Amino acid sequence: RRRDVAVRLSLGASRSSLVRRLVTETTLLGLLAGLVGIGLAVALLGLLQSADLPLPVPVELDLRLDWNVLAFTLGISVAAGVLLGLVPALQSTRPDLASTLKSETAAGGQPGQMRWRNALVVTQLTVSLILLIGAGLFLRSFQEVQAVDIGFGGEPTALMTVMVPTTRFTEDQGRLYTQRLLDRFQQLPGVRSVGITDRLHLNTLSNQSIGFNVDGVEPPADVEYFSANRAEVDAGFFDAAGIPIVRGRNFAAADQPDTQRVAIISEATAQRFFEDGDAVGRMLRRLGDNARDLLVVGIAGDARVRSLGGDPELMVYLPYSQAYGSFLTIVARTAGDPAQTASALMRAGRDVDPDLWVWETKTMAEHLGIMLLPARMSAFLLSVFAGLALLLSGIGLYGVVSYAVAQRTREVGIRMALGADGGHVVRLLAAGGLRLVLVGTVIGLIAALALARLLSGLLFGVGTFDLTTFVAVPVVLGVTAVLAAYLPARRAARLNPVTALRA
């Protein structure tokens, strides 16, 4: 519209009035885009709420439209219209009137304007590359998380958390009550083994710890004792949870409150405090007046306790017969459907005690899925945003190359009339867009490397420079950008030379 603006200016229109007119138009376009976006958002949110999302645990999402969200959308729409319309409005109201009035396409590709357009495309490509690499790193991290051997729960397992009534039973009575429940659960069809623990690994609650010292091993100077994770379990827990006893023995019926206090420790704990790793028969010295030393009777395989990452954690298992707890999780390894087994556990428990207080029932897969949920949601959301950024960068590059090709339509006609090959014309026209792709990719890779360092604390099993991600993402973006530059160039090369010369 440069000629339209030039005519108005030559007839006496003020530059400020034209700027206001152009900015008003772009602002209205921004508002219309915001309204369309809100309409699409409402429709997509409805689909999302009704969809059966493949999440590992039930998640309720409050996706109702909020006035704060609507106000933010309105503000962004107005800002986009004003800011993105102001620069071209100021540029278009400063034309070379004589040359613009002579030819509608004159001065349409001034270096200053092309620099603005090129900078916009490079910025889009850079942001797209950063988002795509960020999404790629999270996806790779999620793959590594899923491949982690957590050391337990490898077979179908049902879980039920219950409370032993402390107002009805003493500790001895509570143990007998728990044993009646376990005997009933063991009789359920498909149940292979049943055990109990006061706190299952990888839970969302705070984990318990135990303090101790080891003969010949000095604790750090700033503390009086070593600390490890602690759990109270029965003998059936290890088989039910899939944690092997690699050395020594399991807890036995002879381990009673009036006998020697015993413990089973993890392999990482044994290797940490005993040079040969053989801790069976060694003592963990407890501190305190009423604390009793623990005889290590067995070593269990390592299992993830607090998080999926990092080195294997220190773990000490105490026998339920010597360390009573009223809040228990039943672990039942099953040959059938774990969800159905979890329901069967609750029904069987109510058969034993109609007043059984059940906190929750779930499967081991659901329990572990809670730990995977943040990684899955992060990977999903970043992938969506990266896909949108890729789409926008492709549209932006397509628009700039199309405009540049339109500015050179007569040049194309002359070249074709003089016998230029169509392929040569396509390469010539697309070259400018591909240069923008190269610049945006280089800048984006540098920025993505800095971003990867910032994200290093959120990634699992993926380095700050993951070769797969840093190679695959530029290839995907490059192919998209090449198509965006190639299509308008090919269309121009197919024009009739006579039509192009008359343009």
Side-chain angles (χ1 to χ4, degrees), residues 112-326:
Q113 296 172 10
M114 291 303 297
R115 281 195 294 270
W116 275 102
R117 286 190 289 271
N118 292 345
L120 178 62
V121 173
V122 169
T123 301
Q124 287 181 319
L125 289 168
T126 300
V127 173
S128 299
L129 187 65
I130 292 173
L131 284 174
L132 284 169
I133 287 180
L137 290 175
F138 272 97
L139 286 172
R140 291 275 294 158
S141 178
F142 179 60
Q143 290 176 345
E144 293 295 327
V145 167
Q146 288 186 308
V148 169
D149 180 12
I150 62 173
F152 71 99
E155 297 187 36
T157 306
L159 305 174
M160 182 174 71
T161 303
V162 300
M163 175 72 78
V164 178
T166 56
T167 56
R168 293 167 50 192
F169 304 120
T170 64
E171 288 191 11
D172 291 339
Q173 291 172 337
R175 290 190 180 94
L176 293 175
Y177 173 82
T178 303
Q179 189 59 49
R180 288 201 304 272
L181 290 175
L182 294 176
D183 292 341
R184 178 67 181 89
F185 296 152
Q186 189 67 62
Q187 298 172 4
L188 292 174
V191 172
R192 293 180 173 179
S193 58
V194 179
I196 57 174
T197 177
D198 68 329
R199 191 153 300 182
L200 188 61
H201 303 339
L202 294 178
N203 60 73
T204 56
L205 303 175
S206 60
N207 289 279
Q208 294 178 321
S209 61
I210 183 173
F212 59 88
N213 282 322
V214 176
D215 295 338
V217 183
E218 292 294 328
D222 55 340
V223 297
E224 297 182 6
Y225 53 85
F226 296 102
S227 180
N229 296 296
R230 161 187 170 176
E232 299 164 6
V233 303
D234 71 338
F237 168 77
F238 296 99
D239 186 35
I243 300 176
I245 301 295
V246 296
R247 189 172 300 177
R249 67 171 176 86
N250 200 340
F251 295 132
D255 298 323
Q256 295 297 317
D258 57 350
T259 63
Q260 169 65 51
R261 295 300 174 95
V262 298
I264 294 175
I265 64 176
S266 65
E267 287 185 284
T269 308
Q271 294 170 1
R272 168 67 177 82
F273 295 106
F274 305 96
E275 292 183 0
D276 56 1
D278 186 4
V280 176
R282 306 289 187 88
M283 302 296 293
L284 303 181
R285 305 296 182 183
R286 301 293 309 282
L287 302 181
D289 296 336
N290 298 323
R292 296 170 62 180
D293 294 341
L294 302 174
L295 173 66
V296 178
V297 297
I299 300 176
D302 288 325
R304 299 290 177 175
V305 182
R306 297 177 183 264
S307 65
L308 296 172
D311 297 328
E313 300 166 87
L314 305 182
M315 187 70 201
V316 175
Y317 299 96
L318 303 179
Y320 177 70
S321 59
Q322 294 181 341
Y324 177 78
S326 60

